[in-house]
Each structure stands twice: as C-alpha cells, then as structure tokens.
Amino acid sequence: MMPSNSDDIFDGESFTSLLGTETIGRGDRLVVLRETDSTNEEAKRRAASGAEDGLLVFAEMQTKGKGRKGRSWTSPPGCNLAFSILLRPDIDPDDASMITIIAALSCVIAIRRISGEDALIKWPNDIVLNGRKLVGILTEMVPEKDRTGFVVVGMGINVNTPSFPSELKDIATSLLLESGQACSRTALAAECVNGFERLYREFLLEKSLAFTKQEYESLCVNLGKEVRVIDPKGSFNGTALEINDRGSLIVKRADGTETEVYAGEVSVRGMYGYI
Ligand code: BTN
C-alpha cells in the first residue's frame, strides 16, 4: 500500500520492473499514453495495423471511455487505471466470453492481494466492494477477413478516485474511498496483468474454465442469491446456483427449471438493488 499523500504517477518503467509476463506488455507491446479516446479503440486501431498478440495499452486519460451496452466510462485523469490488452487467440468466437471471466478473476485477485480489501465479482465481470462497483471490464471480439480475428479486453479500475458525482456515489466506489489509503496503480496493474496472463495461458490449453471454476465461485457475490436476469430476449427472476465450465451462470427459476445464462450482453441484478 502507498501512503495516502504519495505522488503515484503511473510510469511504464516501474510497471515493467514488476511485470512477470512472457508476452503481454513485453518490449514494444507496452504503450503508455497520456490521453486517448478509449484504450479499447486504441488497441483495435493498432490491431488493425498489425499489432501483435499481447499489446497492452494504458492511458492516463480517456476522452471517450466505453462501457458495456453502449454506455460511457468516465474517470478523472491521474488517479485510476484504464488499460486494454490485445489478444489473438485461436479460439471459437463463442468462447471469447470466457476471456472476460478470466479478466474479472485476475483483477479481483490482484485487488485483494495489493489492497487487502475484500472485493468480489458480480457475475460476469464487474468487481464490487462493499456493495458498490469498483471495476468495469469491456471485452470486444473483432472478426477479421481471412483470420480468426482478435479480442480486446479493457479494464477500468477505480483506484484513487477521491469522490464521485452525486448520481454515481451510491453505485460506484474506489479503493481509496473504501480503505482510506491510496493504492499503487503500478503494483496493482502489474499484479492484474501477471495474473491474467497465467490464467489466460491455462485457458488456451484447456478451452474451458473448469480449472478455475472453484476459485471464481468462491469470489462471486451472486451465488445463492435471488437475481433478476436482464436479457433483451426476455428478463426473468431466479436463484443463482453456480457457474459452469464455460463461465455461464446457472439460474434456477421458481418452477424449478435451470437456465444457463451466457456471459454476453446479459446483466444480472440483485432483486433489491445492484447486487
Ligand atoms: C462497464 O462496466 O460498463 C465496462 C467499463 C470498461 C471500462 C474500461 S476503461 C479501459 C477500457 N477502455 C474503454 O474505453 N473501456 C474499458
């Protein structure tokens, strides 16, 4: 943990000294920008001009940060983390949503290790702390002509935001607000990326999440709870039972039937609030 008055500038050099990956963010695969529209868009543009698997793009400020479902993601410059990883996996496009599960898991583990805070995953890939959202993850799969295409995983972590506007303060939080202490962004980012690469390599071998299902479930806030599944094709209520080997949420409806909810554009809410 950093003392709360520390001047914690995100710098690529200290980040690199903490990086333990084989590929992600190595050498010229690391890009640290002062400003861009969106790190996901930046990674996609670079991918379109041939950037390699493992490109990692950080930005101190995003002018058009993107959230899920066409929402925007805003974050004050200089205190949080916004980064995207470009991947070129040889997988079926339907399997890409499993990468988002891995991203959430590596991120929550990193947060718990570096800050000591008991963050949890809200299925599939939000991270919450004390009932408020701490991290958002946006995974985009981009098909390419004559190729499998690529995946961009973008993570926005509210690290040292000192306050949120009134419309967000009941649903969003930061590590600083919850712990009262500033957290090192470089240490947190490195832990996150190191953990992500470890899980991602295992996933590429297995093409399944069976190897990490238990750990994900132990850190998932929804299990055993009443949830509302918000699906453009039809919303419903039920009890979240478990996740399966593909990262889908198994929800038991009132009539006893079990539905597999895919980690796509579907959202899950608690019956009485966000969780
Ligand atoms: C969400 O919860 O709606 C997802 C938010 C994802 C935000 C991150 S910040 C880094 C990356 N770049 C973006 O434009 N979005 C993601």
Side-chain angles (χ1 to χ4, degrees), residues 74 132 164-173:
T74 51
R132 294 184 171 87
F164 285 90
S166 54
E167 67 276 12
L168 286 180
K169 72 179 182 350
D170 291 338
I171 50 168
T173 195

Side-chain angles (χ1 to χ4, degrees), residues 20-250:
T21 54
E22 279 178 40
T23 311
I24 300 176
R26 283 284 166 205
D28 58 8
R29 290 189 180 94
L30 177 64
V31 175
V32 180
L33 301 171
R34 190 159 282 280
E35 185 180 311
T36 187
D37 50 354
S38 146
T39 54
N40 271 32
E41 290 302 314
E42 184 77 38
K44 287 199 277 181
R45 284 190 293 270
R46 289 174 186 246
S49 11
E52 287 177 294
D53 173 71
L55 177 79
L56 173 60
V57 181
F58 282 94
E60 200 62 275
M61 181 175 164
Q62 300 185 109
T63 52
K64 272 192 191 162
K66 292 165 55 179
R68 289 177 78 216
K69 300 181 170 180
R71 296 194 193 106
S72 61
W73 179 265
T74 51
S75 168
C79 51
N80 293 325
L81 282 168
F83 60 92
S84 301
I85 304 170
L86 164 66
L87 302 165
R88 295 187 179 277
D90 184 14
I91 56 168
D92 187 308
D94 289 347
D95 290 349
S97 64
M98 289 193 252
I99 297 175
T100 230
I101 296 276
I102 286 172
L105 183 56
S106 50
C107 196
V108 80
I109 293 171
I111 287 169
R112 292 169 80 98
R113 281 203 189 130
I114 298 292
S115 74
E117 293 296 314
D118 292 333
L120 292 167
I121 302 165
K122 177 176 163 290
W123 183 90
N125 60 0
D126 280 352
I127 293 175
V128 296
L129 181 55
N130 301 329
R132 294 184 171 87
K133 180 159 163 170
L134 189 66
V135 177
I137 298 174
L138 177 66
T139 303
E140 298 182 81
M141 173 100 201
V142 181
E144 276 185 314
K145 245 198 219 154
D146 309 327
R147 289 169 79 170
T148 319
F150 57 85
V151 175
V152 171
V153 189
M155 304 196 207
I157 311 180
N158 296 330
V159 187
N160 295 323
T161 295
S163 63
F164 285 90
S166 54
E167 67 276 12
L168 286 180
K169 72 179 182 350
D170 291 338
I171 50 168
T173 195
S174 70
L175 283 172
L176 172 66
L177 284 171
E178 297 302 319
S179 69
Q181 280 185 292
C183 178
S184 162
R185 291 184 297 153
T186 40
L188 180 57
E191 190 76 22
C192 218
V193 174
N194 292 341
F196 176 80
E197 191 183 87
R198 270 195 302 274
L199 293 175
Y200 176 64
R201 283 179 176 273
E202 189 75 37
F203 160 71
L204 287 184
L205 293 174
E206 313 257 329
K207 304 279 188 319
S208 147
L209 296 177
F211 74 96
T212 201
K213 166 182 151 71
Q214 234 183 337
E215 188 164 32
Y216 183 95
E217 286 185 332
S218 73
L219 294 168
C220 180
V221 75
N222 310 96
L223 301 189
K225 300 226 174 91
E226 297 296 305
V227 291
R228 177 152 186 81
V229 177
I230 300 158
D231 185 337
K233 291 185 225 115
S235 300
F236 62 92
N237 299 340
T239 307
L241 296 182
E242 59 171 337
I243 67 151
N244 67 12
D245 292 353
R246 300 186 44 78
S248 301
L249 186 70
I250 308 301

